[in-house]
Amino acid sequence: MSSVSPEGTTAPDETTAADRTTAPDEAAARAELVETGRRLVELGLSPGTSGNISVRLGDRMLLTPTNESMGALDPERLAVLDLSGKHLAGPKPSKEFTLHRAFYRRTPDAGAVVHLHSVNAVAAACLTPWSESSAVAPITPYFVMRVGQTPLIGYAPPGDIAQAEELEALDLPFRAALLANHGSVVAQSTLSAAMNAAVELEEACKLTLLTSGHSPRLLTTAQAEELALKYGSYWGSAS
């Protein structure tokens, strides 16, 4: 028998969900998601039970459960949702599932999303954005190459659909964003790429904080756009 969760998703019977047969590709995705969560905790980017990650499987996504450390995930206990947000199987999903849904909707080739409350990303998200198109300046070539322009999404309480709606509707190409006073969210074609981009964004935010007030030398617009074109990221007119 199903019930409706506070987030508005349908919560299926977990015993029935656990008995479902898992296809080999889904089993591999579950294992990779668990390993990625462990790695992010090891790197100090997911304190406590903060943050969430997902993998897209066609018209469904695997998502970390609510209130669980990403360092202690169980591959058999991951939430399964469709791209409308309906809860299909597994434990209750993170209340921030709407951020993942928004990225999958706006980015057809996105295969994974990583959302973190890492210290430097949260701190940078509390500052005035560098520009309308990117909260973080082109401070290193690797930030431009691996992440690209990263807009600041306006504040909303965690789990509030307004923030996800702004992210989905923003008329600007991007694969990463900072959420005001909250953290970062990154989408890439694979989970490995999404994790690496999230780590690179955290480093760019750290450098931004370290050089604040020191007039750092940034990449020029032409340099950033050249890198974006070469490496398939988004920056300015190269978007």
Side-chain angles (χ1 to χ4, degrees), residues 2 12 29-30 44 63 94 98 115-116 148 165 168 212 220 237:
S2 297
R30 287 173 178 270
L63 179 67
S94 166
T98 55
H115 167 49
L116 299 174
E165 288 177 340
E168 185 174 352
S212 179
T220 66
S237 63

PDB file of all heavy atoms in Angstrom, residues 2 12 29-30 44 63 94 98 115-116 148 165 168 212 220 237:
ATOM      1  N   SER A   2       0.493   2.287  -0.731  1.00  0.00           N
ATOM      2  CA  SER A   2       1.312   3.492  -0.846  1.00  0.00           C
ATOM      3  C   SER A   2       0.792   4.593   0.054  1.00  0.00           C
ATOM      4  O   SER A   2      -0.377   4.640   0.407  1.00  0.00           O
ATOM      5  CB  SER A   2       1.326   3.986  -2.296  1.00  0.00           C
ATOM      6  OG  SER A   2       1.921   3.014  -3.119  1.00  0.00           O
ATOM      7  N   PRO A  12       6.307   4.082  -1.825  1.00  0.00           N
ATOM      8  CA  PRO A  12       5.866   2.713  -2.010  1.00  0.00           C
ATOM      9  C   PRO A  12       6.204   1.850  -0.809  1.00  0.00           C
ATOM     10  O   PRO A  12       6.980   2.236   0.065  1.00  0.00           O
ATOM     11  CB  PRO A  12       6.662   2.251  -3.225  1.00  0.00           C
ATOM     12  CG  PRO A  12       7.918   3.037  -3.129  1.00  0.00           C
ATOM     13  CD  PRO A  12       7.517   4.375  -2.554  1.00  0.00           C
ATOM     14  N   ALA A  29      25.290   0.969 -11.240  1.00  0.00           N
ATOM     15  CA  ALA A  29      25.031   2.363 -10.880  1.00  0.00           C
ATOM     16  C   ALA A  29      24.881   2.508  -9.368  1.00  0.00           C
ATOM     17  O   ALA A  29      25.374   3.480  -8.775  1.00  0.00           O
ATOM     18  CB  ALA A  29      23.784   2.859 -11.596  1.00  0.00           C
ATOM     19  N   ARG A  30      24.200   1.557  -8.753  1.00  0.00           N
ATOM     20  CA  ARG A  30      24.043   1.600  -7.293  1.00  0.00           C
ATOM     21  C   ARG A  30      25.399   1.508  -6.601  1.00  0.00           C
ATOM     22  O   ARG A  30      25.683   2.258  -5.653  1.00  0.00           O
ATOM     23  CB  ARG A  30      23.133   0.459  -6.831  1.00  0.00           C
ATOM     24  CG  ARG A  30      21.653   0.656  -7.156  1.00  0.00           C
ATOM     25  CD  ARG A  30      20.832  -0.578  -6.815  1.00  0.00           C
ATOM     26  NE  ARG A  30      19.417  -0.368  -7.073  1.00  0.00           N
ATOM     27  CZ  ARG A  30      18.542   0.102  -6.190  1.00  0.00           C
ATOM     28  NH1 ARG A  30      18.955   0.379  -4.961  1.00  0.00           N
ATOM     29  NH2 ARG A  30      17.275   0.275  -6.505  1.00  0.00           N
ATOM     30  N   GLY A  44      36.018  15.199   2.865  1.00  0.00           N
ATOM     31  CA  GLY A  44      35.530  16.240   3.767  1.00  0.00           C
ATOM     32  C   GLY A  44      34.510  17.164   3.138  1.00  0.00           C
ATOM     33  O   GLY A  44      34.280  18.274   3.638  1.00  0.00           O
ATOM     34  N   LEU A  63      18.605   7.954  -6.088  1.00  0.00           N
ATOM     35  CA  LEU A  63      18.923   9.117  -5.257  1.00  0.00           C
ATOM     36  C   LEU A  63      19.208   8.672  -3.834  1.00  0.00           C
ATOM     37  O   LEU A  63      18.595   7.724  -3.325  1.00  0.00           O
ATOM     38  CB  LEU A  63      17.740  10.089  -5.271  1.00  0.00           C
ATOM     39  CG  LEU A  63      17.853  11.370  -4.456  1.00  0.00           C
ATOM     40  CD1 LEU A  63      18.915  12.297  -5.035  1.00  0.00           C
ATOM     41  CD2 LEU A  63      16.507  12.090  -4.409  1.00  0.00           C
ATOM     42  N   SER A  94      15.896  12.148  -0.387  1.00  0.00           N
ATOM     43  CA  SER A  94      16.258  13.479   0.107  1.00  0.00           C
ATOM     44  C   SER A  94      15.186  14.488  -0.282  1.00  0.00           C
ATOM     45  O   SER A  94      14.635  14.428  -1.380  1.00  0.00           O
ATOM     46  CB  SER A  94      17.601  13.899  -0.496  1.00  0.00           C
ATOM     47  OG  SER A  94      17.816  15.284  -0.301  1.00  0.00           O
ATOM     48  N   THR A  98      14.140  17.763  -5.806  1.00  0.00           N
ATOM     49  CA  THR A  98      13.691  18.679  -6.862  1.00  0.00           C
ATOM     50  C   THR A  98      14.866  19.325  -7.601  1.00  0.00           C
ATOM     51  O   THR A  98      14.750  19.654  -8.784  1.00  0.00           O
ATOM     52  CB  THR A  98      12.782  19.776  -6.283  1.00  0.00           C
ATOM     53  OG1 THR A  98      13.466  20.451  -5.220  1.00  0.00           O
ATOM     54  CG2 THR A  98      11.482  19.176  -5.759  1.00  0.00           C
ATOM     55  N   HIS A 115      25.098  17.223  -5.256  1.00  0.00           N
ATOM     56  CA  HIS A 115      24.764  18.423  -4.482  1.00  0.00           C
ATOM     57  C   HIS A 115      25.488  18.342  -3.144  1.00  0.00           C
ATOM     58  O   HIS A 115      25.344  17.356  -2.414  1.00  0.00           O
ATOM     59  CB  HIS A 115      23.255  18.520  -4.268  1.00  0.00           C
ATOM     60  CG  HIS A 115      22.855  19.539  -3.240  1.00  0.00           C
ATOM     61  ND1 HIS A 115      23.347  20.832  -3.238  1.00  0.00           N
ATOM     62  CD2 HIS A 115      22.013  19.459  -2.179  1.00  0.00           C
ATOM     63  CE1 HIS A 115      22.821  21.496  -2.223  1.00  0.00           C
ATOM     64  NE2 HIS A 115      22.017  20.681  -1.559  1.00  0.00           N
ATOM     65  N   LEU A 116      26.283  19.383  -2.834  1.00  0.00           N
ATOM     66  CA  LEU A 116      27.092  19.384  -1.620  1.00  0.00           C
ATOM     67  C   LEU A 116      26.871  20.633  -0.784  1.00  0.00           C
ATOM     68  O   LEU A 116      26.549  21.695  -1.321  1.00  0.00           O
ATOM     69  CB  LEU A 116      28.584  19.298  -1.982  1.00  0.00           C
ATOM     70  CG  LEU A 116      29.043  18.053  -2.743  1.00  0.00           C
ATOM     71  CD1 LEU A 116      30.503  18.199  -3.136  1.00  0.00           C
ATOM     72  CD2 LEU A 116      28.820  16.800  -1.925  1.00  0.00           C
ATOM     73  N   GLY A 148      32.928  25.456 -15.680  1.00  0.00           N
ATOM     74  CA  GLY A 148      32.307  26.496 -16.484  1.00  0.00           C
ATOM     75  C   GLY A 148      31.504  27.464 -15.645  1.00  0.00           C
ATOM     76  O   GLY A 148      31.484  27.397 -14.413  1.00  0.00           O
ATOM     77  N   GLU A 165      12.825  25.414  -9.381  1.00  0.00           N
ATOM     78  CA  GLU A 165      12.152  26.016 -10.535  1.00  0.00           C
ATOM     79  C   GLU A 165      13.014  27.109 -11.154  1.00  0.00           C
ATOM     80  O   GLU A 165      13.075  27.249 -12.379  1.00  0.00           O
ATOM     81  CB  GLU A 165      10.794  26.569 -10.116  1.00  0.00           C
ATOM     82  CG  GLU A 165       9.774  25.475  -9.834  1.00  0.00           C
ATOM     83  CD  GLU A 165       8.441  26.015  -9.343  1.00  0.00           C
ATOM     84  OE1 GLU A 165       8.414  27.185  -8.857  1.00  0.00           O
ATOM     85  OE2 GLU A 165       7.438  25.290  -9.427  1.00  0.00           O
ATOM     86  N   GLU A 168      15.821  25.389 -13.093  1.00  0.00           N
ATOM     87  CA  GLU A 168      15.346  24.780 -14.336  1.00  0.00           C
ATOM     88  C   GLU A 168      15.031  25.814 -15.401  1.00  0.00           C
ATOM     89  O   GLU A 168      15.269  25.595 -16.595  1.00  0.00           O
ATOM     90  CB  GLU A 168      14.110  23.934 -14.052  1.00  0.00           C
ATOM     91  CG  GLU A 168      13.610  23.163 -15.254  1.00  0.00           C
ATOM     92  CD  GLU A 168      12.470  22.217 -14.925  1.00  0.00           C
ATOM     93  OE1 GLU A 168      12.150  22.027 -13.740  1.00  0.00           O
ATOM     94  OE2 GLU A 168      11.879  21.655 -15.885  1.00  0.00           O
ATOM     95  N   SER A 212      40.197  36.964  -1.901  1.00  0.00           N
ATOM     96  CA  SER A 212      39.251  38.072  -1.728  1.00  0.00           C
ATOM     97  C   SER A 212      39.945  39.283  -1.105  1.00  0.00           C
ATOM     98  O   SER A 212      40.661  39.165  -0.105  1.00  0.00           O
ATOM     99  CB  SER A 212      38.092  37.634  -0.832  1.00  0.00           C
ATOM    100  OG  SER A 212      37.182  38.692  -0.621  1.00  0.00           O
ATOM    101  N   THR A 220      41.229  36.291 -18.717  1.00  0.00           N
ATOM    102  CA  THR A 220      40.449  37.255 -19.488  1.00  0.00           C
ATOM    103  C   THR A 220      39.227  36.548 -20.075  1.00  0.00           C
ATOM    104  O   THR A 220      39.168  35.315 -20.139  1.00  0.00           O
ATOM    105  CB  THR A 220      41.274  37.854 -20.637  1.00  0.00           C
ATOM    106  OG1 THR A 220      41.565  36.822 -21.586  1.00  0.00           O
ATOM    107  CG2 THR A 220      42.555  38.474 -20.118  1.00  0.00           C
ATOM    108  N   SER A 237      30.198  34.132 -24.365  1.00  0.00           N
ATOM    109  CA  SER A 237      29.736  33.946 -25.727  1.00  0.00           C
ATOM    110  C   SER A 237      30.089  32.559 -26.273  1.00  0.00           C
ATOM    111  O   SER A 237      29.622  32.158 -27.336  1.00  0.00           O
ATOM    112  CB  SER A 237      30.334  35.015 -26.664  1.00  0.00           C
ATOM    113  OG  SER A 237      31.743  34.899 -26.709  1.00  0.00           O
TER     114      SER A 237
END
